[in-house]
Amino acid sequence: MIFDLELIKHVYTHYQDTVNHIRQVIGRPLTLTEKILYAHLAQGEQLKDYKRGVDYVNFAPDRVAMQDATAQMALLQLMNSGRDRVAVPSTVHCDHLIQAYKNAYDDLIIAESNNQEVYQFLRDVSNKYGIGFWKPNAGIIHQVVLENYAFPGGMMIGTDSHTPNAGGLSMIAIGVGGADAVDVMAGMAFELKMPRLIGVKLIGKLSGWASAKDVILKLAGILTVKGGTNSIIEYFGEGTKSLSATGKATICNMGAEVGATTSIFPYDQKSADYLAITGRQDIVDLATKLVDCFNPDLAVLNEPNKYYDQVIEINLSELEPYVNGPFTPDLAYPISQLASAVKQHNYPNNMEVGLIGSCTNSSYEDMSRAASVIDNATKLGLSVKAKLIINPGSEQVKYTALRDGLLDTFEQAGAVVMANACGPCIGQWRRDEVSDEHYNSIVTSFNRNFAKRNDGNANTNAFVCSPEIVAALSIAGTLTFNPLTDTLTNSKGEKVKLPEPVGDELPTNGFAVDDAGYIEPIADGSQVAVNIAQSSERLQALSPFLPWDGKDIVAQPLLIKALGKCTTDHISMAGKWLKYRGHLDNISNNMLIGAVNAFNEQTNFVLDAQTNSYLAVPELARKFKAEGLGSIVVAEENYGEGSSREHAAMEPRFLNVKAIVVKSFARIHETNLKKQGMLALTFVNKEDYDKVQEDDKISILGLTDFTPGKNLTMVLNHRDGNVEAFPVAHTYNEAQISWFKAGSALNKLSAEFKNS
């Protein structure tokens, strides 16, 4: 079925006139990004040439998407918003809570039993507020959105950092926290700092073992994990036209790994082909008439350096397959250099598990090309040496791949096909065969490879690459194998070389599915009761955070000074903790337990200066809170990198952390902190981080005159009596300061509804 056709028709009605008007007012040619952003300015927002990276702008997205792990907290907040029905089309996708263990059939039964309370809550709230519901095993949110909801020129937000996947179909799709989603579902504007623009020019054409995944893996090595912060990556050039729509989605998806606000490709014939084969010919008919609106202006293409803040060129014809990792997605190795890197850094060469799937690489094309590698190996007398796990992206992909024999190819080679869910990509992997101390390597087609992310083991070296390369390395069983140049010995003792992968971008016989897994909300949900048991360990109704007390923060203890990388996985782990995503009190027991203490380089072991003893981070925070104290968290660069999970902001707020002071923030996390009424501050001089001592009492002064653009003052009262003071910066505007004063953005929203 086709969704939202009337909405899309409405969006498209005056699109060309709107773009022409924007160009006239701005007074210059427009990039694709600018056309879509300016066409989605919120009602009453002035049309002008906003300063990139400086001005905050209000937008009106067309829809909201939520996955089950983040939807719980988003919907708990929606219930406190005062709204009785969502103002824009919204969906919930049950893809995070299915643990990969045995196989798709058994794992789904276990998930439906273990998560019944949460699934029922999500379905009840969806019915009550008019939200579309995709049941467990329907597929991974971003693949399902691409198949059903993404449309050229549209704008959406999603409570998952990989929402930009929809950029493969020329949609501005931005990952956010639940509070941002609640604003939009409640009919409010979505606030965003006008992004800078990074133009990536693609020339040439992929061939051989290279794939779309290698474009973003190479780019990650160029930009690093924070190089895209507060920027949108816009791809252009002749090379874009040869990439499939799902390949483009793969590239946009993993733009989150360089911190980009989102990524986007122009609309072309490949986009139209994908829309048509997924049952959306009506959208093709409409969008093709507006093709100029969904591409950058010709003048931009002719002189990109004039219109983008940064331009990077990648020649697809020369692109090698890449393998990135371990422990960070921007450690990029062309496969020709991987073997020497393995030897140089002593990475475990024995490749134990290959994992194909995730929201990044689980399309039909991905399955097709990976299956061709396995099939060729079988025909050559080669077996798969590593354990191989497959996670299809959606029920539609799985059903079609089963019909076409792709899944049989994997299973006959010994692979296990898991549910259509995130699984090992987000720590939902029960890997019983290895201990936490086991030093090993795995290779995945996923997007992230932070320590402990996949299996909870800090000693698992996870490498990210394309599905084709995962398949090849799984056959070889070693990281040092290069399928472009190396041979393998088959069952007859012969030296054989793997042929290059081949596959279909789209299924020759079209897509097929028996039950896609969608449940439409009832027409009138006003009588639906949403019940949360008082004794529940999974769900807990939210109580509003207290408003600011009108005073400076004075003489509060340090909770932790984090050393090095501190992602949302370090701040609020996934894996076994996913079951508490709807219970703020319980999940707060994982707050910052993965962060490395700068004073002893241990995790979850911080000093209680009152007793001179060491406690777990949440335990110490709870102790301070019970004593009527707050606390301060200090950290380094790109704090909050990774997932959109707002729990990483809500947990410190709940445990009375007063301020997070860092060298720099990741975009989504900084916004999440602001939405929850937290103080998110940065060192004006990054060297001041070094001045913070373990037993300091810390003050933040200047809050009584909290003003946009005006620094606050951080004061360190050292135990020896010395005092150091220095400025700390913030990026709060007037609206965000009002959230802080109200206690949270939700508090302010609720008050506005009550007064309206």
Side-chain angles (χ1 to χ4, degrees), residues 195 387 399 454 643:
K387 183 176 181 179
Y399 193 97
N454 301 129
S643 171

Side-chain angles (χ1 to χ4, degrees), residues 23-93:
R23 190 184 293 111
Q24 182 180 17
V25 172
I26 301 296
R28 57 172 168 76
L30 299 173
T31 64
L32 168 59
T33 297
E34 289 172 319
K35 292 177 183 180
I36 301 175
L37 285 180
Y38 281 109
H40 284 84
L41 290 178
Q43 187 174 6
E45 197 77 351
Q46 181 184 358
L47 175 56
K48 65 175 186 177
D49 194 0
Y50 288 98
K51 293 181 180 178
R52 299 175 189 169
V54 176
D55 291 337
Y56 283 93
V57 188
N58 289 315
F59 296 99
D62 300 309
R63 68 174 306 107
V64 173
M66 297 166 280
Q67 40 93 337
D68 50 356
T70 53
Q72 295 171 64
M73 198 58 71
L75 296 182
L76 286 165
Q77 292 176 84
L78 179 66
M79 292 167 65
N80 286 349
S81 71
R83 185 89 190 185
D84 58 8
R85 200 162 181 86
V86 291
V88 301
S90 304
T91 50
V92 168
H93 303 257

Side-chain angles (χ1 to χ4, degrees), residues 230 665-675 680 730-731:
N230 290 324
F665 284 104
R667 176 194 63 85
I668 298 177
H669 188 64
E670 182 179 20
T671 299
N672 286 346
L673 289 169
K674 292 177 178 180
K675 286 279 185 176
H730 67 85
T731 60

Side-chain angles (χ1 to χ4, degrees), residues 241-423:
K241 296 179 181 179
S242 64
L243 299 174
S244 68
T246 52
K248 292 168 184 171
T250 292
I251 294 168
C252 292
N253 176 294
M254 205 175 152
E257 273 44 77
V258 298
T261 300
T262 192
S263 301
I264 192 166
F265 274 84
Y267 177 76
D268 59 21
Q269 187 58 48
K270 298 285 190 180
S271 314
D273 292 344
Y274 185 76
L275 286 166
I277 203 170
T278 51
R280 292 175 285 175
Q281 182 62 46
D282 287 345
I283 298 177
V284 175
D285 295 340
L286 295 168
T288 302
K289 296 174 184 177
L290 299 170
V291 65
D292 291 340
C293 295
F294 309 141
N295 276 264
D297 285 344
L298 184 60
V300 173
L301 298 176
N302 290 337
E303 296 183 278
N305 288 294
K306 284 181 62 176
Y307 301 100
Y308 297 105
D309 299 292
Q310 180 181 358
V311 176
I312 298 168
E313 182 173 292
I314 295 176
N315 188 336
L316 301 180
S317 300
E318 299 174 353
L319 188 63
E320 265 191 77
Y322 271 71
V323 180
N324 289 23
F327 307 127
T328 185
D330 60 348
L331 185 56
Y333 296 111
I335 198 160
S336 60
Q337 299 176 19
L338 181 62
S340 61
V342 169
K343 295 169 184 174
Q344 178 183 350
H345 300 288
N346 200 30
Y347 300 140
N349 185 36
N350 183 35
M351 208 282 281
E352 298 191 6
V353 188
L355 300 115
I356 294 173
S358 85
C359 62
T360 315
N361 280 109
S362 56
S363 68
Y364 185 89
E365 180 182 23
D366 293 324
M367 296 293 166
S368 177
R369 283 174 61 85
S372 82
V373 176
I374 300 295
D375 185 50
N376 286 330
T378 301
K379 291 174 179 175
L380 289 170
L382 296 169
S383 60
V384 178
K385 292 186 178 178
K387 183 176 181 179
L388 188 59
I389 295 174
I390 312 295
N391 279 86
S394 69
E395 180 60 16
Q396 180 168 263
V397 166
K398 181 179 181 179
Y399 193 97
T400 308
L402 180 62
R403 179 200 68 189
D404 294 349
L406 303 182
L407 297 189
D408 286 343
T409 298
F410 289 124
E411 290 180 321
Q412 289 169 11
V416 178
V417 178
M418 298 294 185
N420 313 318
C422 303

Side-chain angles (χ1 to χ4, degrees), residues 506-528:
L506 301 170
T508 303
N509 296 318
F511 282 108
V513 68
D514 183 23
D515 176 10
Y518 176 70
I519 301 175
E520 190 170 354
I522 60 177
D524 179 7
S526 59
Q527 301 305 309
V528 174

Side-chain angles (χ1 to χ4, degrees), residues 1 3 63-64 66-68 71-72 75 89-95 97 112 115-128 130-139 144 149 515-522:
M1 62 183 294
F3 293 89
R63 68 174 306 107
V64 173
M66 297 166 280
Q67 40 93 337
D68 50 356
Q72 295 171 64
L75 296 182
S90 304
T91 50
V92 168
H93 303 257
C94 296
D95 64 352
L97 299 180
E112 289 178 328
N115 302 311
Q116 191 275 334
E117 176 189 17
V118 172
Y119 291 148
Q120 189 62 52
F121 167 78
L122 294 174
R123 187 166 176 184
D124 286 345
V125 178
S126 295
N127 266 330
K128 187 173 185 66
I131 298 169
F133 183 80
W134 290 82
K135 60 188 181 183
N137 205 46
V144 173
Y149 297 113
D515 176 10
Y518 176 70
I519 301 175
E520 190 170 354
I522 60 177

